[in-house]
Amino acid sequence: MLVLGIETSCDETAAAVVDGEGNVRAQAVLSQIEDHKPYGGIVPEIAARAHLSHLDRLIAKAMSDAKVRFEDLSAVAATAGPGLIGGVIVGVMTAKAISMVRGIPFIAVNHLEGHALTARFTDGVQFPYLLLLVSGGHCQILVVEGVGRFRRLGTTMDDAAGEAFDKVAKLIGLGYPGGPAIERAARDGDPARFTFPRPLKGRPGCDFSFSGLKTAVRLAAEALPAISEKDAADLAAGFQTALVESTADRVARAIAVFRADYPTGDTLVASGGVAANTALREALTTVSRKNGLRFVAPPVALCTDNAVMIAWAGVERLKLGWVDGLDIKPRPRWPLDPGAAPVRGAGVKA
Ligand code: KG4
Ligand code: ZN
């Protein structure tokens, strides 16, 4: 089995070829960070145009590096949502064209399912498992019961965790993307100089909220005459510590639900760009160990957006015989658990 995966839902244009055993035959990723940097965030129109300019070349490179011809492929899988719709359209239309011209099946992959299933081929994780999905656009905790079967235990009431990193970095002058910049600055910072809230800590449920924390950082920054390098480091450290503590608290609550309802489950997986954060990984390792779970976080390059995860989700679906018609439409929103109760506070991301 050989599946070509295509990812264009955000600011990475990517193509990859993965086989039925989860071996990555080749991958090509092009980050658009430099295109968006002058604007301090992702500009959807610029992203869509960049995907259009580069996708064909990246697919050709992945195919030639893998020494695979189109007629060797078992299927072509593309992210069909959720994401920035202009980019999603570029990937889906390209995949449909390959499918039609070469007569191979098309598989529409939910980007979040791509993140969710990554730990299956990197670490052989078995269903069911608990998944913390934390990226720039998403912040949820789910039980992964099977391919296409998810139960959402919590989601954000306002900002996603990565969005909070990005916004805080911008307001203390650390640039974009914010997560790595905050993590770097925080290394030299004093996390105790500023006292920031730990949103929802100790409160019932497993939902997240980060906008109050972001406001607290803004007020602390505004109270300073000017933000020196030391101030930025202390603000970054204080913010990161608060976000990690709040997240770990929410995860501990989700673990309690998971242990009670899924006695065979033994693993917590973290995925999405924010799962690259070392402080968060350490806190999740501790909370997992304390509650009798194993903690798994895929390598950073497979936690952030990539096409390997989309190709692999295609492999998992193809093994079940699940392929899609060419009438499938790209979707800006596509919740993994459509039955989940809506959260109060609006701003739900998926
Ligand atoms: O999964 P991803 O590549 O794209 C999507 O949003 O789908 O995640 C990108 C997000 C950005 O918000 C970025 O600031 C954050 O992940 N991020 C981090 C770190 N590396 C990336 N956040 C905290 N610490 C990091 N080391
Ligand atoms: Zn993502």
Side-chain angles (χ1 to χ4, degrees):
M1 192 180 275
L2 283 172
V3 174
L4 168 67
I6 295 173
E7 162 59 37
T8 56
S9 68
C10 195
D11 62 342
E12 254 96 30
T13 316
V17 179
V18 173
D19 69 21
E21 282 75 53
N23 300 306
V24 181
R25 297 296 186 90
Q27 63 165 319
V29 188
L30 185 75
S31 165
Q32 302 173 2
I33 282 180
E34 293 305 319
D35 298 336
H36 300 287
K37 215 172 221 167
Y39 308 95
I42 298 164
V43 183
E45 182 63 23
I46 291 175
R49 284 169 192 272
H51 290 305
L52 196 56
S53 307
H54 301 295
L55 183 58
D56 287 0
R57 185 175 55 78
L58 288 169
I59 291 173
K61 179 164 171 27
M63 295 290 289
S64 94
D65 287 355
K67 300 190 176 53
V68 165
R69 297 162 306 170
F70 283 104
E71 50 268 40
D72 302 328
L73 292 174
S74 318
V76 52
T79 296
L84 300 172
I85 193 64
V88 177
I89 291 172
V90 172
V92 166
M93 294 313 287
T94 306
K96 284 182 179 177
I98 294 170
S99 159
M100 195 181 273
V101 171
R102 302 289 171 166
I104 53 174
F106 163 68
I107 301 171
V109 172
N110 183 314
H111 177 85
L112 305 176
E113 182 166 82
H115 280 301
L117 299 180
T118 301
R120 299 210 357 110
F121 78 90
T122 57
D123 295 85
V125 176
Q126 301 293 310
F127 300 123
Y129 53 92
L130 190 61
L131 170 76
L132 174 70
L133 182 52
V134 273
S135 72
H138 308 285
C139 189
Q140 332 188 346
I141 185 141
L142 305 131
V143 180
V144 186
E145 297 176 343
V147 179
R149 283 176 33 223
F150 299 89
R151 176 176 157 205
R152 195 181 80 196
L153 301 180
T155 187
T156 182
M157 298 156 93
D158 38 60
D159 291 344
E163 192 177 359
F165 270 99
D166 293 336
K167 287 177 175 172
V168 164
K170 194 171 181 177
L171 71 89
I172 62 177
L174 289 179
Y176 170 84
I182 296 239
E183 178 160 24
R184 228 174 297 120
R187 270 183 221 133
D188 305 318
D190 170 10
R193 174 170 158 206
F194 299 98
T195 319
F196 294 133
R198 273 64 174 152
L200 299 175
K201 189 172 174 189
R203 301 266 289 276
C206 312
D207 289 330
F208 303 86
S209 168
F210 298 114
S211 72
L213 171 58
K214 179 188 66 192
T215 303
V217 179
R218 181 171 59 75
L219 294 175
E222 282 171 3
L224 299 167
I227 303 177
S228 68
E229 207 170 304
K230 170 84 177 98
D231 295 333
D234 293 345
L235 288 163
F239 162 75
Q240 181 174 272
T241 303
L243 183 139
V244 166
E245 222 176 285
S246 161
T247 304
D249 173 78
R250 313 318 294 160
V251 170
R253 286 177 173 276
I255 290 176
V257 176
F258 179 63
R259 303 272 338 211
D261 292 357
Y262 302 84
T264 59
D266 63 1
T267 306
L268 167 70
V269 174
S271 197
V274 184
N277 187 279
T278 309
L280 181 63
R281 284 185 182 226
E282 280 168 5
L284 294 174
T285 305
T286 304
V287 78
S288 302
R289 203 171 291 150
K290 220 191 258 172
N291 292 283
L293 294 188
R294 157 172 95 115
F295 175 62
V296 165
V300 170
L302 293 172
C303 275
T304 54
D305 287 350
N306 65 86
V308 173
M309 69 180 190
I310 304 305
W312 172 253
V315 168
E316 293 249 37
R317 292 191 152 252
L318 191 61
K319 283 181 178 170
L320 297 168
W322 297 356
V323 298
D324 295 287
L326 295 184
D327 54 342
I328 290 264
K329 290 196 172 60
R331 300 174 62 170
R333 285 185 177 239
W334 186 358
L336 282 177
D337 178 1
V343 289
R344 266 187 320 128
V348 187
K349 303 296 173 187

